[in-house]
Amino acid sequence: MTSKAQHLHPIALLYFLISDIKNLIVPIIVTIIGIANFWSELPIVPVVIVIAILIFAMSIANYFRFTFELKEDEIVVKHGIFIRHDDHVPYDRIQNITSDQWFFLKPFGVEKLEVETASHADDSEVSLFAVSVDLKDQLEKLRSQKLSSQAVAENNDETNFDSSKINNIETNNSPTDDLGDATTDEELAEPVEETSSNTYAITKKDLIKFALTSPAFLSGLLVVLAAYGKFEQAISDQMYEYLFKKAAHLGILIVILIVVVVLLLFYIGSVLILINQYYNFKLVENKQQFVTTRGFFKTKKTTISLKRVQAVLVKQPLFRQWLNIATVQLVVISNSHQDDTDKDIIVMPVIIVGKVNDFLNQFFPSIPVEKVKPFKPIKWTYYYNLRNATLLTLGSSAIFVGLLFMVPWLCVAFVILDIAFWFLPAIMTIKRTKVQTLDENYIAIRNNRIMTKQLVLVPRQTIQSAEKRQSIWLEKKKLASLTINLRSGVTKRKLNTNYQKESDVDEILDWYKDV
Amino acid sequence: MDNVKQLPVEIKTIWRIRALIDLLVWLLIAVPFLVWALLAPDSWQPWLWSITWVIAAFGVIESLVELALVPYHYRFWTYYINDRQVELHHGFFFRKQIVIPIARVQNVTLIQGPVIRLKHLQKVKVMTAAGGEDIAGLKEQEANDLKELIMKLAKEARNDI
């Protein structure tokens, strides 16, 4: 299939205009002020008009230089006025396709399309600012054609998420067969749009639960606190003292009230942002691809090829654990430079823990998730984790006491906080860490990250390397630690499990080596 | 190539030379303080002298420890390659065993710095999609063979990301 080079939808002119203004506004203002310093009678109005016309002309030129073309096996994008770019992306190298559509673009039937490959580029290789909504389907069709023709060629493809999937699609076309005897969620009973596709759509209730239980507001608060730290350095001591006196007049209750209000505002803000982001969340699985759709003001659609999925993650932050709900995410290869937690693609924002297995069975029938069983940690795991926590507590408490010994009550408060800070995660780590082989293709790694409980289901194919660590003292106790390296985003993801039974670790290594 | 191998004996010399180079670097850091101490007014002298001595002493101790550990590192640094995976082992008191399946190898890099070149060795980096691992030094011929072998096997067991 070949098509001619096309321009973007004319609405893209607005994008170019806005981005040009964004890029140029600061340097232009600085230059104008600089010139005005020397030449006081600078005719401001005409200058501004001339600059505006120039920017406008530039955007138009940008728009007309920007073309894209769907060739037989690649997409070609040409852009740039002075420096001309020719980007070629072969369909079979595409990792993820993302589209987002602001609500005001809906009437025009256009959206922004981003195509990612596994390269180490900073942004997605291809961003098409305003193209018809049909283009995404076209592109996906081209890509899946390429991929399936390859899959046929590589008859004896190694077992992966997708290859088992291919068989599945070939052998049975009804999605309910994948479920087996599993009971289906009510939400899942939504009419299926396309044949042989799996669908999940979030309910309003679940969305609100998800937003209310997200710890995201804490990270937002940390950012603000860090900014405040910088701000604090900038204001003078006198000013600070003055404010402090004022605050002292207000009394401790009012200060506490202010803190509570600020926290509450952050919390409400983050809840609203999350509701906006995950509004109408929908997951569709069709022919080796996952498509998620979400967003209120901006509808974001992400397509992930199953072939690119590196691991499945079931996560439970503390709040969600109290409510017995979890989130399911995918570790994928992408251009993302974000933190681990941000770049994992959410395929299931909120689900009752008891239904996680059903969900996984529905969308990942090849993972024998029932084999993940509760376990009892061994006593040496307790011993080593608690020993480490004790040492860290002693060390940091000693520093606090050394610094604050004049104020005994503050000292005591800090030491209590310190104990909680080291021991709570340690206890969670003990209870939540376990490595286990599920079958010849999958392992399950359970661990704890600060306060978040994690279950990672990893196929052999995506494990880049494995590492066993042990000291002679651990050997005597038949303990060892295991690290599994995966690819995630543009970097690696380490999955650590410390102080495990040596037999468990060896079992994983043997399983891994027996390719 | 189907048994556990040790690094070539020459690597010990390399590690020793490295330890001496580290010592030299520490002493070079100490020299400016020494010069300053000689030129500075009397009141500063004790401070500057002690800084000089601390840096120099630290450098000497560090290099001595490094030198002392050379046989230990050598003895407990082994690798093993078969047609499925590369395995690296190091350490005795703290042990590490790293497994990289050949099918996961993205590329192999051979690096030769000036010191390692003296003994005709090469450092081998085995890279995967999630970082890589080093083999500290192999004889040039051996490194080349290894590279050829891994790349040949990797081509057969191709599994692209």
Side-chain angles (χ1 to χ4, degrees), chain B residues 16 25 40 45 52 63 80-81 85 102 105 109 113 117 124 126 145:
Chain B
R16 288 195 186 109
V25 170
Q45 293 256 346
T52 314
S63 319
Y80 166 88
I81 294 169
Q85 68 252 345
I102 301 246
V105 175
T109 313
R117 193 175 304 150
V124 181
V126 182
D145 292 349

Side-chain angles (χ1 to χ4, degrees), chain A residues 122-340:
Chain A
D122 285 337
D123 299 310
S124 47
E125 275 78 5
V126 174
S127 304
L128 305 173
F129 299 110
V131 289
S132 138
V133 283
D134 304 331
L135 190 77
K136 182 159 191 259
D137 295 337
Q138 243 178 44
L139 205 57
E140 265 155 28
K141 206 182 256 170
L142 285 167
R143 173 166 74 147
S144 58
Q145 271 169 14
K146 263 269 158 316
L147 288 177
S148 56
S149 67
Q150 270 175 10
V152 172
E154 295 166 26
N155 241 336
N156 270 338
D157 196 9
E158 293 160 274
T159 354
N160 204 334
F161 281 117
D162 62 303
S163 53
S164 50
K165 208 74 213 174
I166 297 169
N167 298 333
N168 241 313
I169 284 163
E170 281 165 3
T171 49
N172 61 54
N173 264 342
S174 84
T176 41
D177 279 6
D178 291 347
L179 287 170
D181 54 353
T183 43
T184 325
D185 273 24
E186 283 133 10
E187 305 95 89
L188 298 169
E190 222 206 40
V192 184
E193 291 176 349
E194 300 145 270
T195 44
S196 88
S197 70
N198 258 330
T199 311
Y200 160 80
I202 197 168
T203 57
K204 294 254 156 47
K205 210 174 101 193
D206 282 350
L207 173 65
I208 289 166
K209 249 194 213 166
F210 171 68
L212 288 176
T213 55
S214 167
F217 77 98
L218 285 176
S219 52
L221 197 69
L222 283 180
V223 171
V224 173
L225 282 181
Y228 171 74
K230 287 228 174 78
F231 177 67
E232 195 190 10
Q233 286 172 359
I235 54 177
S236 70
D237 286 348
Q238 272 176 338
M239 184 75 176
Y240 205 61
E241 227 165 74
Y242 172 76
L243 283 177
F244 201 73
K245 265 185 198 158
K246 276 264 172 187
H249 279 299
L250 289 175
I252 192 103
L253 274 178
I254 298 205
V255 173
I256 289 175
L257 197 73
I258 291 173
V259 170
V260 168
V261 167
V262 167
L263 275 174
L264 210 63
L265 280 179
F266 263 99
Y267 183 64
I268 292 169
S270 107
V271 167
L272 290 178
I273 289 172
L274 283 171
I275 287 182
N276 168 37
Q277 280 178 346
Y278 286 92
Y279 187 81
N280 262 345
F281 179 90
K282 199 172 150 201
L283 172 69
V284 177
E285 186 256 306
N286 189 17
K287 288 179 193 155
Q288 306 180 58
Q289 288 189 339
F290 276 123
V291 182
T292 66
T293 320
R294 63 193 173 88
F296 185 73
F297 290 116
K298 189 156 121 176
T299 313
K300 198 168 178 175
K301 203 169 174 188
T302 310
T303 307
I304 312 134
S305 163
L306 262 169
K307 203 172 185 174
R308 315 302 186 199
V309 175
Q310 304 292 296
V312 179
L313 208 70
V314 181
K315 260 183 163 179
Q316 268 188 293
L318 201 58
F319 293 133
R320 293 195 187 142
Q321 219 199 340
W322 291 337
L323 290 172
N324 212 22
I325 53 180
T327 302
V328 184
Q329 291 177 297
L330 300 180
V331 177
V332 295
I333 302 174
S334 68
N335 301 87
S336 175
H337 288 265
Q338 288 170 306
D339 285 341
D340 287 350

